[in-house]
Amino acid sequence: MRMNRRNVLLGLGAVVAGGSATLGTGAFSSVDAQRSATIRTVGDAAAFLGIEAHPNRSDDTVSPNDPDDGSEGTPYLTLTGDEMLEFNFDGSGTPSIDGAGLNRIATTEFDDLIEISNQGSQDNVSLDIKLVDSSGSTVDEDNVFDAYASADSTNGNISGGELLAGSASLDADERVAVGFRFDLAATDSLDDSQYTDTAQQDYGENVDSIQITATTQ
């Protein structure tokens, strides 16, 4: 998943109160007050919404979010230079593998792929995970993609197998193991004429990323 560095903007606006001279000598026209602010961005593992490689797919003795370090790395996750996770389902990850993509006319599941944790103070934070294009619009016309709580995940309000589609929620300090399901058993987005053993074919020309959204309810 290509994830751009977050740019955080803080706007401090003027508070304006209008009044006439009849209100007395204590009236004022405007107040422009400035207060100090500290804003930082961090990698996925340390953010308010923690997004980490699942321990089954990372060497936690080296780095809790590094899926590529040590013998327990995964070809499906890469940690970018700015500590963001990127998903690789095309055989390009590390360590290298012989496979080059998902099976056509099949359903593929990846249990315990990542862990998402609520590291903020708010309870009841809902999760929604979906395929999107470069503008952020959903690209799943064939309903081929689902994110779900892995079978061994029963943390808080989320049960194993539950779809993470806007209704499942995490309280503060809770985490959930997440798996991905790609159902390519029947889809109009794949060209039958290109079905060969070695030819790669992207699902959906406009798929840009996997979007993970957390909102308070």
Side-chain angles (χ1 to χ4, degrees):
M1 176 182 69
R2 295 190 293 274
M3 301 186 68
N4 297 322
R5 185 180 298 278
R6 299 173 178 85
N7 295 318
V8 182
L9 302 179
L10 177 66
L12 297 178
V15 179
V16 179
S20 66
T22 58
L23 295 178
T25 57
F28 54 82
S29 298
S30 67
V31 174
D32 187 353
Q34 182 171 329
R35 303 292 185 267
S36 63
T38 302
I39 302 172
R40 293 188 179 96
T41 63
V42 294
D44 284 340
F48 297 133
L49 182 71
I51 306 172
E52 304 177 56
H54 191 278
N56 289 352
R57 299 184 182 272
S58 64
D59 186 350
D60 284 353
T61 62
V62 178
S63 174
N65 201 29
D66 193 341
D68 303 322
D69 208 338
S71 60
E72 297 182 32
T74 171
Y76 313 117
L77 291 171
T78 299
L79 194 65
T80 66
D82 51 3
E83 300 295 309
M84 305 294 182
L85 279 182
E86 184 176 79
F87 300 99
N88 311 104
F89 298 108
D90 59 357
S92 65
T94 303
S96 61
I97 55 175
D98 293 333
L102 305 177
N103 291 74
R104 299 185 178 113
I105 319 300
T107 299
T108 304
E109 293 186 353
F110 299 88
D111 280 338
D112 297 336
L113 187 62
I114 59 174
E115 274 193 343
I116 297 178
S117 53
N118 179 359
Q119 300 180 146
S121 60
Q122 301 96 329
D123 288 333
N124 204 22
V125 172
S126 63
L127 297 175
D128 190 14
I129 305 177
K130 58 190 176 184
L131 299 178
V132 297
D133 60 20
S134 59
S135 68
S137 299
T138 301
V139 179
D140 196 12
E141 63 272 18
D142 300 299
N143 297 314
V144 302
F145 176 79
D146 285 311
Y148 58 91
S150 295
D152 63 348
S153 179
T154 56
N155 196 328
N157 303 318
I158 301 178
S159 302
E162 184 174 352
L163 297 183
L164 305 180
S167 58
S169 64
L170 288 176
D171 288 338
D173 297 324
E174 290 184 346
R175 63 181 55 232
V176 59
V178 179
F180 289 169
R181 178 186 301 115
F182 297 89
D183 183 0
L184 299 177
T187 174
D188 295 332
S189 295
L190 298 176
D191 183 357
D192 290 348
S193 66
Q194 297 185 37
Y195 281 4
T196 67
D197 286 342
T198 58
Q200 286 185 317
Q201 187 177 169
D202 291 340
Y203 164 73
E205 294 180 0
N206 297 320
V207 173
D208 180 77
S209 58
I210 294 174
Q211 179 175 294
I212 301 172
T213 303
T215 55
T216 57
Q217 296 183 354

